[in-house]
Amino acid sequence: MELEFESKYEINRTAEFIISKSFTRIALQFPDELLKDSTKVVSALKSKTRLLTDREVRFFVMADTTYGSCCIDEVGALHIDAECVVHYGQTCLSPTSVLPAFFVFGKASINVSSCVKHLIDYASKSDKPIMILYGLEYAHVIPHIREELRLSKTGSQLKLSVANVLCSFISPSKDPRESMEHPRPYSESDSSESLSSSRSYRLGGLTWDLPEGSKIEDYLLFWIGSDSSAFANVVLTFNGCDIVRYDAEEDSLVTEFYQQRRILKRRYYLVEKAKDANIIGILVGTLGVAGYLHMIHHMQALISAAGKKSYILAMGRPNPAKLANFPECDVFIYISCAQTALLDSKEFMSPVITPFEANLAFSRGSEWTGAYLMHFQDVINSVKSESEAHSGSEEPRFSFFQGGYVEDHKTNDQAKNGEEDTGETMALVQAAEKALQLRGNDHNSLTKQTAAKSGPEYFLNRAYRGLEINSENTSPEPYIVGRSGKASGYKHE
């Protein structure tokens, strides 16, 4: 049992890494489900490092991370002056900003022979080449699966490709933008010139290459692992591919993913709803993924160019109660890693969308081709290639929710030049609003209702201004003398 424990948490490899880098203050980050083993891991690492070095190595256990447990909690680690973070469990392998990170994926149990048998049986029914993807917790059995496929007579004849783990150690880049240059998933809208650069893929900590002239839609994706956020990432990103999932716990194949792909319809609905938003909240969902500040600034510029108002909100993991404190926001943009980007906002007062969806909603002329990007770093790359294509003059757009063509509050030229409305323009607007506010007792009175364009304007409209008595008689009325005295006995009683 002791050897099995050390193998699961890779005690030897972790200790050797710590000694090789001469680290002395290590932060150990555990998800909630592995926290019960944290004390045993610390004891094992202390014993192993004492055998390898004379230096004192101190370990600090981190739990209950501010954001998603799959990301490196750099803020928590910096509070204890840690030199490195050792991350345990499921991870998105997002690049870090400040601290180096070492990953221990864990080792989930699986029947290799049964997995290979299911793979061969299903692959023999399809004429497509197979791309094998997997959860990182099954990375330790991939060499055994490769070997068993090679020894199998049928398996050796199949066109099989296996993705590789991107890395098990991440060192922060000096320039965060350097780590944002990741290959983009292929889409039909890509030009032939960009096909050569889209043969390499990186998703969910995995990386793989395709032969020249091939595209991912030509492959059958065979996923080994559970129905996790990493798998949902694959289904949404490669929604045009045939996908099969092998469930290691149930020892069975799952071929129907209607519920996962139904999410795309919901996301498209949220994009259309976001187009009518005037006030947008930018939710900070990570403080450790490299380039998150650059993404926030990009979202601010995008929202400003669309003539809308934005506010930056940092509140840890969002929930309906937290976001209900900001009723002025019509929509929220959640900037986080790919595996925590999708929030089911059905219970929220306002929808929560991803940076990719925000780019579709607030970039005039953008159309959704079916491609879906989960990494916010990929959104930056796509915006660079599309910025010149949609630089023309803006026209009224059709709103599905308002049932007609609408114009945004700010023109494109004003957004570019940063011009503000002049006093004459504001006076004209106020006069027009006053002229349209006809009040009377009849039910045919006309009232113009305008949506708030900023937080102060929203709360100004909500403020109580006292009673308003609608009367055609505007001449002064004589005042009425009220009662005087105490409530227990007024003077006239």
Side-chain angles (χ1 to χ4, degrees):
M1 290 294 293
E2 189 67 26
L3 291 176
E4 183 179 346
F5 175 84
E6 292 191 0
S7 175
K8 176 182 178 181
Y9 288 97
E10 303 184 33
I11 301 299
N12 291 334
R13 190 170 72 94
T14 306
E16 292 173 358
F17 165 78
I18 293 172
I19 300 305
S20 65
K21 298 294 183 179
S22 300
F23 293 138
T24 57
R25 296 178 67 88
I26 312 298
L28 307 180
Q29 181 177 338
F30 291 87
D32 294 342
E33 62 272 14
L34 298 180
L35 195 58
K36 62 183 184 297
D37 295 333
S38 59
T39 55
K40 292 181 64 177
V41 171
V42 171
S43 299
L45 287 175
K46 282 185 176 180
S47 301
K48 188 63 65 174
T49 52
R50 286 196 193 102
L51 297 176
L52 298 176
T53 182
D54 296 332
R55 296 190 308 272
E56 181 186 2
V57 180
R58 301 188 64 184
F59 298 94
F60 303 85
V61 175
M62 294 194 305
D64 191 22
T65 56
T66 306
Y67 300 101
S69 60
C70 62
C71 299
I72 298 297
D73 187 7
E74 288 189 297
V75 175
L78 289 173
H79 284 167
I80 56 170
D81 296 327
E83 300 169 336
C84 176
V85 178
V86 178
H87 184 282
Y88 294 92
Q90 182 182 357
T91 177
C92 53
L93 279 181
S94 298
T96 57
S97 300
V98 180
L99 293 177
F102 183 80
F103 297 91
V104 178
F105 305 129
K107 297 181 180 180
S109 59
I110 182 176
N111 189 328
V112 175
S113 300
S114 180
C115 176
V116 171
K117 182 178 182 302
H118 279 94
L119 172 58
I120 293 175
D121 291 343
Y122 195 89
S124 60
K125 302 175 185 177
S126 175
D127 56 350
K128 289 187 175 182
I130 311 297
M131 175 60 67
I132 300 177
L133 307 177
Y134 46 89
L136 296 179
E137 65 273 19
Y138 295 98
H140 66 286
V141 299
I142 296 302
H144 303 290
I145 293 177
R146 288 176 183 266
E147 181 64 18
E148 192 151 336
L149 286 170
R150 186 184 65 82
L151 296 177
S152 173
K153 181 178 180 181
T154 306
S156 59
Q157 297 175 353
L158 297 175
K159 297 180 180 179
L160 295 171
S161 300
V162 183
N164 299 311
V165 178
L166 183 65
C167 62
S168 60
F169 171 70
I170 289 180
S171 181
S173 172
K174 294 181 180 179
D175 183 2
R177 300 188 189 187
E178 292 179 6
S179 58
M180 297 175 64
E181 299 297 331
H182 303 312
R184 285 193 298 143
Y186 173 79
S187 65
E188 294 180 358
S189 61
D190 289 340
S191 62
S192 58
E193 181 180 355
S194 65
L195 280 176
S196 59
S197 62
S198 61
R199 291 195 305 270
S200 296
Y201 292 81
R202 174 196 166 182
L203 190 68
L206 301 177
T207 179
W208 65 94
D209 297 325
L210 298 183
E212 187 174 357
S214 300
K215 55 184 180 179
I216 194 65
E217 286 81 2
D218 299 332
Y219 282 75
L220 169 68
L221 304 184
F222 189 91
W223 174 267
I224 301 174
S226 60
D227 187 6
S228 60
S229 57
F231 175 67
N233 195 353
V234 171
V235 174
L236 290 179
T237 304
F238 303 117
N239 55 76
C241 298
D242 294 334
I243 303 177
V244 179
R245 182 174 71 86
Y246 173 72
D247 193 321
E249 295 181 358
E250 301 292 335
D251 190 21
S252 60
L253 287 182
V254 181
T255 58
E256 296 294 333
F257 307 110
Y258 174 74
Q259 292 297 331
Q260 287 87 341
R261 285 174 174 157
R262 188 179 179 184
I263 297 176
L264 285 173
K265 298 180 181 179
R266 165 74 178 171
R267 307 313 299 188
Y268 182 72
Y269 164 82
L270 295 182
V271 169
E272 293 299 322
K273 194 171 184 178
K275 291 180 179 179
D276 292 336
N278 290 323
I279 305 175
I280 295 92
I282 301 176
L283 293 178
V284 181
T286 178
L287 294 177
V289 179
Y292 78 95
L293 278 177
H294 184 56
M295 191 68 226
I296 291 175
H297 295 155
H298 169 72
M299 287 290 105
Q300 285 182 301
L302 178 68
I303 294 169
S304 177
K308 305 174 187 296
K309 184 69 176 178
S310 65
Y311 295 96
I312 300 177
L313 308 172
M315 61 182 69
R317 301 181 187 181
N319 58 45
K322 289 180 180 179
L323 297 190
N325 292 317
F326 305 94
E328 67 273 22
C329 293
D330 302 315
V331 68
F332 296 93
I333 304 174
Y334 192 41
I335 297 179
S336 67
C337 72
Q339 294 191 17
T340 58
L342 288 182
L343 283 180
D344 187 3
S345 57
K346 292 181 180 179
E347 298 181 359
F348 291 68
M349 292 181 61
S350 300
V352 182
I353 62 176
T354 65
F356 171 71
E357 294 162 350
N359 189 64
L360 289 176
F362 304 134
S363 296
R364 298 299 293 269
S366 295
E367 295 182 0
W368 192 14
T369 61
Y372 199 90
L373 303 179
M374 298 293 291
H375 287 279
F376 64 73
Q377 298 96 332
D378 296 331
V379 177
I380 293 291
N381 296 338
S382 65
V383 170
K384 290 178 181 178
S385 61
E386 296 175 2
S387 58
E388 297 180 359
H390 307 305
S391 58
S393 60
E394 295 190 11
E395 298 178 354
R397 59 177 177 81
F398 185 83
S399 171
F400 290 98
F401 293 91
Q402 299 185 29
Y405 286 94
V406 296
E407 291 184 353
D408 291 326
H409 300 297
K410 203 172 185 180
T411 63
N412 194 35
D413 292 336
Q414 287 175 328
K416 288 181 178 179
N417 301 328
E419 298 177 357
E420 297 181 354
D421 294 325
T422 62
E424 295 180 357
T425 304
M426 289 302 298
L428 181 62
V429 171
Q430 293 173 2
E433 289 184 355
K434 185 176 181 180
L436 288 173
Q437 290 176 351
L438 304 179
R439 299 176 180 178
N441 297 327
D442 60 326
H443 298 286
N444 296 325
S445 60
L446 174 64
T447 302
K448 180 185 178 184
Q449 297 179 349
T450 58
K453 304 173 187 176
S454 65
E457 184 178 347
Y458 173 84
F459 286 105
L460 182 63
N461 294 334
R462 289 186 61 187
Y464 179 69
R465 302 183 184 181
L467 299 176
E468 293 183 3
I469 302 176
N470 298 325
S471 176
E472 296 180 358
N473 185 12
T474 59
S475 59
E477 295 287 343
Y479 65 88
I480 301 175
V481 178
R483 292 181 294 183
S484 61
K486 297 181 180 180
S488 60
Y490 292 104
K491 291 183 178 180
H492 68 278
E493 293 180 345

